[in-house]
Amino acid sequence: MDLRQITDTYTVAPQLEPGDMAVLAEQGVTTVICNRPDAENPAPLQAAAMQAAAEAAGIAFVFNPVVGGQLTMDNVEEQRDAIDAAEGPVVAYCASGNRSTIVWALGMAGEMPTTEIIARGEKWGYQLEWLRPQIEALAARNG
């Protein structure tokens, strides 16, 4: 398990496995968000199997699949809502952690400076500079 802490309460990771859920629960994680569509995974790693493992470990599970190149505002809002509703630390995963970082970054527009949002992703190798115009536009829209 390769965890990459973006904020004090939000961490991203490449693909998790069902066995990781007990470890995450021991670390205090209360919510896991899956941003990987089922079509990308074999059955043992699809959302239903991951949700069963998460819930068995006492972790809330949110399935918010982000299809590469087809990110929607619904994805952004669902991610933000799941983070806001979490009662503790959140781990979001996809194939590499990149989509989980992008959807977080867009959801944080207006909540922290754009430069800081970008820097938090880039610390882990997620190149977000290309998102600057979208983050700033969302920040302006969000007031």
Side-chain angles (χ1 to χ4, degrees), residues 11-92:
T11 300
V12 301
Q15 179 66 52
L16 298 176
E17 296 187 9
D20 295 332
M21 299 303 166
V23 175
L24 292 173
E26 289 173 8
Q27 295 175 351
V29 171
T30 63
T31 302
V32 168
I33 304 171
C34 173
N35 293 129
R36 193 158 192 201
D38 277 345
E40 295 181 8
N41 271 328
L45 297 178
Q46 289 181 358
M50 298 299 287
Q51 181 171 0
E55 290 174 353
I59 297 175
F61 185 86
V62 176
F63 185 46
N64 182 23
V66 176
V67 176
Q70 298 177 27
L71 174 69
T72 68
M73 280 309 298
D74 285 343
N75 289 131
V76 173
E77 291 164 5
E78 186 169 345
Q79 195 89 358
R80 182 61 192 252
D81 289 347
I83 293 166
D84 289 347
E87 296 179 3
V90 174
V91 172

